Amino acid sequence: MKSYKTLADIQRDLSTGSVSCIDLVDLYLGRIEAQPHLNLFIEVFADEARQRAQLIDQKLAEGTAGKLAGLVIGIKDVLCYQGHGLTASSRMLEGFDSMFTGTAVQRLLDEDAIIIGRQNCDEFAMGSSNENSHYGPARNPVDPDRVPGGSSGASAAAVAAGMCHASLGSDTGGSVRQPAAFCGTVGLKPTYGRISRWGLIAYASSFDQIGPLTQSVEDAALLLSVMAGPDGHDQTAASESVEAYETKLSISPKKIGYLKEAWEHPSLSPEIRAQLDTSIAKLEAEGHEVVPVEFELLEYVVPCYYLLTTAEASSNLARYDGVRYGHRSESAQDLSETYLASRNEGFGQEVKRRILLGTFVLSAGYYDAYYTQAMKTRRLLRDGIYKLFQSCDALLLPTTPSTAFRIGEKSEDPIEMYLSDIYTVLANLTGVPAISVPFGTDSQGLPIGVQFMGRPFEESTILGLGQQLAQS
Ligand code: GLN
């Protein structure tokens, strides 16, 4: 069967009858089955996806199908889908079934998307390599000895390996964009609040956003249009009007700033820097003005992100105590032992590290020195980025300092792993939208991602720029 880059291509063939939803589902199921070593799906909803495909083929024949008919999508194992398992790749939630469907997932279903399964990820979305999973690491289809990125690593990898047309991930500090860059797909983190978080397992609530992983910018735009908008279940879901983003991809010339500090950063691989220079030349050739801008606070973004997200995580994850939720230890004799042993057995090493760190930065003696200071820094970062947006329509950055690294290469050194998030966490700290688009490969054939950040709720601009770059 031919390979489809966009849902529009699929829908054209669906309308002529040269392909059906059931053909598509069978194709993806076959690929999932053929590549178990990549470890991308925790659970495949094979029978259900086939049944739904038949139903949607019928709707297509009757002319009643929704906007996403023909879309076969995988969901990261942090998104609620009623009656289906949900574990956040943690032993803590083994055996748990969602009691309701989250808003973003429901909006996809309402437009006739087919959900093919739930995908491996870092435990509770904490990680940059998908190695922190109770179900074992996911592998990068481009080179299975390498990580697919994280935390939505398997979601990006499944798209790259053709096991689904698109995936839904979550991005707290880069978890959609960084795996997209490592696997060669598009990854979009919308403005904070653009998509409801209802039904997304919380990691750090003031940072978390759901976002699509796709093969084309056009599909990312379409999925955003379907999922975005206010929601009575989530007070932080924004009421700004939702555009038909997929129809606004051709844009007028823009002024784009590139962060000098990012270019000059010692951690940035020279091959990625060279690709970024090529991207600037391409954007200029399209008529955009690209100028260097200064952002002296770049060194503060990683510490600020890890102080605040671990603080939020320590509070969000307090609910998993073996009583209200989650794994309950069989060895415990009384209440406090139940808490201790259940949490000790249920959580993995990285999650424990972050709960400890977050509890420490919130503790009475250290609150001002760490949490308050980090909150002040977050404000400065936001002010600094907003100031850049007074003169620039978008900012250009690398998505990652390196291409996909080897499994095990960074897992012994959490600080080194954290530092690799330097270019992605800024968008979450400041709430602005950002997209990573694939742009060439390095000398080993590993994909490189280029990132655009935009003004709040101006997803159209970064989608348009991403589309131009992807097509150039
Ligand atoms: N890599 C980052 C972290 O480990 C981002 C995770 C995410 O966006 N969920 O926290």
Side-chain angles (χ1 to χ4, degrees):
M1 195 186 301
K2 87 184 197 209
S3 67
Y4 295 100
K5 270 232 153 203
T6 66
L7 181 62
D9 278 347
I10 294 179
Q11 290 180 337
R12 252 189 301 278
D13 281 1
L14 284 170
S15 68
T16 63
S18 57
V19 75
S20 66
C21 292
I22 192 83
D23 294 339
L24 290 165
V25 167
D26 283 343
L27 173 77
Y28 299 126
L29 289 174
R31 290 187 184 143
I32 294 173
E33 214 174 304
Q35 304 173 83
H37 63 287
L38 296 179
N39 197 22
L40 304 185
F41 282 82
I42 293 174
E43 191 182 352
V44 181
F45 310 140
D47 294 341
E48 187 188 320
R50 296 190 85 246
Q51 274 165 22
R52 239 180 106 72
Q54 266 154 358
L55 178 85
I56 291 159
D57 279 332
Q58 208 173 329
K59 282 188 167 186
L60 281 161
E62 290 161 1
T64 56
K67 259 190 185 171
L68 300 181
L71 174 73
V72 180
I73 192 164
I75 57 175
K76 181 179 180 181
D77 190 27
V78 290
L79 293 155
C80 296
Y81 182 18
Q82 188 173 31
H84 296 76
L86 176 69
T87 70
S89 285
S90 179
R91 181 177 183 207
M92 183 53 94
L93 284 173
E94 220 164 28
F96 180 79
D97 281 339
S98 290
M99 280 166 306
F100 65 96
T101 300
T103 304
V105 172
Q106 188 60 51
R107 287 181 183 172
L108 298 182
L109 291 171
D110 290 346
E111 291 295 344
D112 288 338
I114 298 167
I115 299 180
I116 196 159
R118 62 188 165 97
Q119 296 157 331
N120 200 350
C121 58
D122 283 301
E123 187 179 1
F124 284 98
M126 298 176 186
S128 312
S129 66
N130 216 136
E131 292 169 292
N132 305 330
S133 166
H134 176 54
Y135 300 97
R139 293 172 182 272
N140 192 323
V142 183
D143 174 353
D145 289 334
R146 292 179 187 270
V147 304
S151 61
S152 318
S155 302
V159 174
M163 296 180 182
C164 47
H165 184 70
S167 296
L168 210 53
S170 64
D171 190 313
T172 304
S175 275
V176 164
R177 290 161 287 151
Q178 184 253 24
F182 278 9
C183 296
T185 74
V186 173
L188 172 70
K189 183 207 86 81
T191 310
Y192 181 76
R194 181 67 301 184
I195 297 175
S196 164
R197 291 179 293 112
W198 171 250
L200 165 67
I201 292 184
Y203 158 18
S205 308
S206 76
F207 294 73
D208 298 340
Q209 256 301 278
I210 293 171
L213 292 128
T214 55
Q215 297 166 64
S216 66
V217 173
E218 188 182 314
D219 283 352
L222 176 64
L223 288 176
L224 179 64
S225 311
V226 170
M227 292 186 288
D231 177 18
H233 291 301
D234 176 3
Q235 296 305 305
T236 64
S239 53
E240 263 81 358
S241 62
V242 176
E243 298 167 44
Y245 302 100
E246 68 282 8
T247 64
K248 303 215 162 148
L249 294 175
S250 49
I251 51 168
S252 57
K254 302 286 178 214
K255 184 164 173 192
I256 304 165
Y258 69 90
L259 299 193
K260 260 178 45 195
E261 288 73 10
W263 251 248
E264 287 160 8
H265 203 274
S267 71
L268 182 63
S269 115
E271 288 194 82
I272 297 182
R273 190 178 294 121
Q275 263 311 96
L276 284 161
D277 289 337
T278 311
S279 75
I280 293 182
K282 298 243 172 186
L283 290 163
E284 283 174 341
E286 298 280 353
H288 303 292
E289 185 188 348
V290 188
V291 296
V293 292
E294 274 173 30
F295 190 69
E296 282 160 8
L297 300 171
L298 193 63
E299 286 302 329
Y300 297 95
V301 300
V302 170
C304 184
Y305 168 82
Y306 277 95
L307 289 173
L308 294 177
T309 54
T310 55
E312 292 190 24
S314 79
S315 146
N316 273 328
L317 271 61
R319 73 190 73 178
Y320 304 105
D321 57 9
V323 177
R324 285 171 295 179
Y325 286 94
H327 168 80
R328 179 181 297 195
S329 171
E330 306 217 324
S331 66
Q333 300 297 326
D334 59 27
L335 184 64
S336 52
E337 250 185 56
T338 300
Y339 290 152
L340 264 173
S342 301
R343 285 166 72 78
N344 189 32
E345 292 165 16
F347 289 135
Q349 198 190 5
E350 180 61 23
V351 173
K352 284 180 192 162
R353 183 181 356 256
R354 295 196 190 196
I355 292 173
L356 282 171
L357 186 60
T359 306
F360 175 75
V361 306
L362 289 175
S363 62
Y366 294 96
Y367 187 95
D368 278 343
Y370 293 109
Y371 186 75
T372 308
Q373 194 71 7
M375 284 298 279
K376 288 181 179 168
T377 309
R378 187 180 196 181
R379 168 52 70 101
L380 288 177
L381 292 169
R382 207 190 75 154
D383 290 350
I385 288 294
Y386 276 40
K387 192 155 170 249
L388 293 180
F389 281 130
Q390 283 172 7
S391 59
C392 296
D393 301 304
L395 299 173
L396 174 67
L397 288 133
T399 309
T400 55
S402 74
T403 50
F405 46 88
R406 286 184 193 284
I407 292 177
E409 192 179 320
K410 293 190 197 230
S411 45
E412 294 308 310
D413 185 350
I415 303 284
E416 203 195 328
M417 189 81 94
Y418 296 171
L419 288 172
S420 70
D421 296 331
I422 180 164
Y423 303 121
T424 48
V425 295
L426 189 53
N428 308 74
L429 280 160
T430 57
V432 304
I435 189 169
S436 177
V437 290
F439 190 65
T441 54
D442 69 6
S443 50
Q444 301 180 79
L446 300 168
I448 291 176
V450 166
Q451 184 181 202
F452 293 103
M453 283 170 52
R455 296 193 185 106
F457 301 103
E458 291 190 13
E459 277 84 358
S460 296
T461 304
I462 57 168
L463 287 163
L465 290 170
Q467 168 90 337
Q468 274 186 352
L469 199 58
Q471 289 182 345
S472 63

